[in-house]
Amino acid sequence: VLGETTGAAHRRRLAEAGVPSFASPDLVMRGFAHLVRQRRARAVARELPPSAVLQLAPDRDTVRRSFRAARAASRAGLLQEEALAVLAAYGLPGVPSRAVLSPDDAACAAALLGFPAVVKLRRSAQPRVRGPGGVALDLPDAAAVRRAAERLDARRARQPGAFAEGFLVQRQAGRARELRIRVADDALFGPAIAFGLGGSAADLLGDAAYDLPPLNLALARGLVERTRAARTLTELHDQPAADLDAVADALARVSQLVVDFPEIAAIDINPLFADADGVLAADAWIGLRPAGEAGQLAIAPYPAELAEPWDVRGEPVLIRPIRPEDAEAHAALFARLSPTDVRYRFFSMLRELSAEQIARMTQVDYDREMAFVAVDERTGETVGVSRLVREPYTDRGEFAVVVEARMKGRGLATELMRKLIDWAAGQGMTEVVGQVLADNQPMLAFVRRLGFALRRVPDEADVVEARLELAPAGGSLGLGAAPPLG
């Protein structure tokens, strides 16, 4: 509706009636673009991630030692070899390297590593502030390495303070795609991860896509696919396709490093070489925050510390927070539930869960909700789940729990609820509530044994509300054994 004299009044009446109205065609197209983006986001939500989970066994002690050494030397950033060692501690391989102090040592190190060789001036400053000419490439023998180191030494003398003492000698990597991974603070969202084309012209190319940690393998792969760099990773006329899974793996490992060490202010890995055999980090810089400061993630990381094994009368299960990779197992659990269990859990006779429903149940925000799954350690099947969703702007949450038939009457539901109640208390919540169908007598008996108070829901004769007040101190509650569910 164009115009201001009469158009504004018409738009106001349309808006009051709930009809979208716009003052210009440009605004119409902007609104349509919002719909397109929302449709794409819903489509992404329906793409459930595979069940594969990145298995990490990082050497955190190496990382801590590197950080302590940098702070002891009053450096705000790590030297290249220290940064590469930190990445290697998280399973991200680097080009074979040695730090040396003199041109003669550089020649000896290159002979040990192999030719052609690369010599770099060592630095702890952010890469963009270093002067040009700090690297010598394609060095075929020890004599060439020595001459290159002498030239670089002269350049260091002309740029006092730009470089640290000594050289970094590396074996030159073969032909590969050059990529870049960066971590830096966004003013609104905190630590963010960028990925794109790398090399000396990376800043000029302007190829970067962004996401927020923590990243799993599916999110990391999606980040790669949003860049122009993704097209270079396919098979080329002179090179086989690069290992895209290895690139996603590298992103997920960097993400976990940022999650584990919030004192990291920034990371710059450039270049990250990628080919058919995997990835190699050739240069890296890690900047640290001032002592005592920590970055604040916008998305809560996976609370792995809440996982614990439990014995279901001889059957070992692992009770842990749910994660997106549980989508397939979650759908399989639903398929094994009886129609009665489904009605008791969902208040309707669902035949199957949609992809969006499964995504909603497995991709949770751990700051405002929690779901614990019980996983049979012998089969990998999910055999039970408890869930608590915090009501917005309140200190109470709504719970649900279900276990499959063969696990009923064995205390598993009680243990799942205990974990849930302990988590709620630890979050400062004061109340846990849930709605139970009035004819679900086993469930009513179960929650009564857990200490819940029951009352009828006004105007809903077939629904009973169960309510548990939590102790202000947030201590664990002693819960008794449970009868079978549903």
Side-chain angles (χ1 to χ4, degrees):
V1 181
L2 300 176
E4 287 300 324
T5 304
T6 58
H10 292 322
R11 288 194 300 274
R12 185 167 55 252
R13 291 188 64 186
L14 288 168
E16 290 170 352
V19 179
S21 58
F22 302 87
S24 72
D26 288 346
L27 294 176
V28 172
M29 295 311 298
R30 188 181 301 176
F32 183 76
H34 286 310
L35 291 177
V36 171
R37 285 194 291 271
Q38 195 255 6
R39 175 70 63 85
R40 288 174 179 166
R42 291 174 66 88
V44 169
R46 289 193 295 269
E47 296 175 3
L48 300 177
S51 58
V53 177
L54 178 65
Q55 299 299 324
L56 274 176
D59 182 0
R60 295 185 176 90
D61 287 339
T62 292
V63 179
R64 295 187 186 100
R65 284 195 297 270
S66 296
F67 290 176
R68 283 198 297 268
R71 293 192 188 281
S74 300
R75 288 189 274 111
L78 273 60
L79 297 165
Q80 294 107 308
E81 69 271 17
E82 294 173 331
L84 291 172
V86 166
L87 297 176
Y90 270 71
L92 203 166
V95 173
S97 309
R98 285 203 174 190
V100 298
L101 293 178
S102 70
D104 287 338
D105 291 340
C108 292
L112 292 172
L113 294 172
F115 297 100
V118 176
V119 178
K120 303 176 180 179
L121 289 174
R122 296 169 78 210
R123 54 163 172 78
S124 62
Q126 194 168 355
R128 62 179 175 81
V129 302
R130 72 172 185 256
V135 180
L137 305 171
D138 301 311
L139 305 174
D141 52 41
V145 170
R146 185 179 296 105
R147 290 193 298 271
E150 290 170 350
R151 289 195 300 271
L152 292 175
D153 213 11
R155 180 172 294 277
R156 176 176 22 226
R158 295 195 297 270
Q159 294 178 282
F163 299 98
E165 182 182 5
F167 308 91
L168 185 68
V169 182
Q170 297 179 319
R171 186 176 67 207
Q172 185 158 311
R175 296 185 64 196
R177 285 75 159 178
E178 293 185 66
L179 308 172
R180 185 182 191 183
I181 297 175
R182 287 178 293 151
V183 175
D185 277 350
D186 177 84
L188 182 61
F189 295 107
I193 297 178
F195 173 81
L197 292 168
S200 56
D203 289 330
L204 299 177
L205 295 172
D207 178 39
Y210 299 85
D211 211 331
L212 300 176
L215 299 180
N216 58 19
L217 290 172
L219 291 172
R221 191 172 184 122
L223 176 58
V224 174
E225 291 172 350
R226 295 199 299 274
T227 64
R228 295 198 302 273
R231 295 194 289 273
T232 72
L233 300 176
T234 59
E235 185 175 0
L236 305 176
H237 72 278
D238 59 343
Q239 296 181 60
D243 188 343
L244 180 56
D245 290 337
V247 177
D249 181 277
L251 279 164
R253 292 179 185 275
V254 171
S255 168
Q256 190 61 47
L257 173 62
V258 174
V259 170
D260 290 348
F261 292 93
E263 60 262 49
I264 293 176
I267 299 175
D268 195 346
I269 305 171
N270 182 30
L272 176 72
F273 290 117
D275 60 17
D277 296 323
V279 297
L280 283 175
D283 206 309
W285 173 77
I286 296 177
L288 302 178
R289 302 179 189 277
E293 288 190 11
Q296 183 65 46
L297 297 177
I299 300 173
Y302 180 73
E305 69 280 1
L306 299 180
E308 63 178 343
W310 200 71
D311 184 79
V312 186
R313 298 184 186 177
E315 294 190 45
V317 301
L318 178 66
I319 298 179
R320 58 167 175 78
I322 202 167
R323 56 191 176 207
E325 293 84 1
D326 289 317
E328 183 179 337
H330 212 70
L333 170 64
F334 179 86
R336 294 195 301 272
L337 296 178
S338 69
T340 301
D341 283 340
V342 171
R343 186 175 74 86
Y344 282 161
R345 169 63 181 86
F346 296 96
F347 288 28
S348 63
M349 297 298 294
L350 294 176
R351 294 188 176 182
E352 64 178 357
L353 296 176
S354 69
E356 286 190 46
Q357 286 174 309
I358 295 172
R360 174 65 189 86
M361 291 178 175
T362 56
Q363 300 176 24
V364 305
D365 179 354
Y366 301 110
D367 274 336
R368 72 177 190 89
E369 64 180 296
M370 178 55 68
F372 287 101
V373 291
V375 180
D376 188 324
E377 295 198 275
R378 298 168 304 176
T379 65
E381 293 179 332
T382 296
V383 296
V385 59
S386 61
R387 185 180 306 276
L388 186 72
V389 179
R390 188 170 195 155
E391 296 180 2
Y393 312 111
T394 72
D395 290 328
R396 70 180 223 161
E398 185 171 355
F399 80 93
V401 61
V402 67
V403 298
E404 67 172 78
R406 70 182 180 87
M407 289 292 183
K408 291 180 180 179
R410 301 165 71 177
L412 179 59
T414 298
E415 184 64 14
L416 285 167
M417 284 297 296
R418 182 191 68 80
K419 293 278 289 182
L420 207 62
I421 292 168
D422 284 350
W423 177 84
Q427 295 293 307
M429 300 175 68
T430 59
E431 233 176 12
V432 173
V433 299
Q435 293 190 335
V436 183
L437 289 177
D439 63 343
N440 189 352
Q441 291 301 319
M443 184 63 167
L444 293 174
F446 170 65
V447 295
R448 190 181 290 112
R449 288 195 178 198
L450 297 183
F452 283 78
L454 305 179
R455 73 176 185 90
R456 291 282 183 176
V457 176
D459 302 323
E460 294 189 57
D462 59 342
V463 177
V464 175
E465 183 183 75
R467 182 186 302 271
L468 177 69
E469 292 187 4
L470 302 182
S476 176
L477 302 179
L479 304 180
L485 289 185

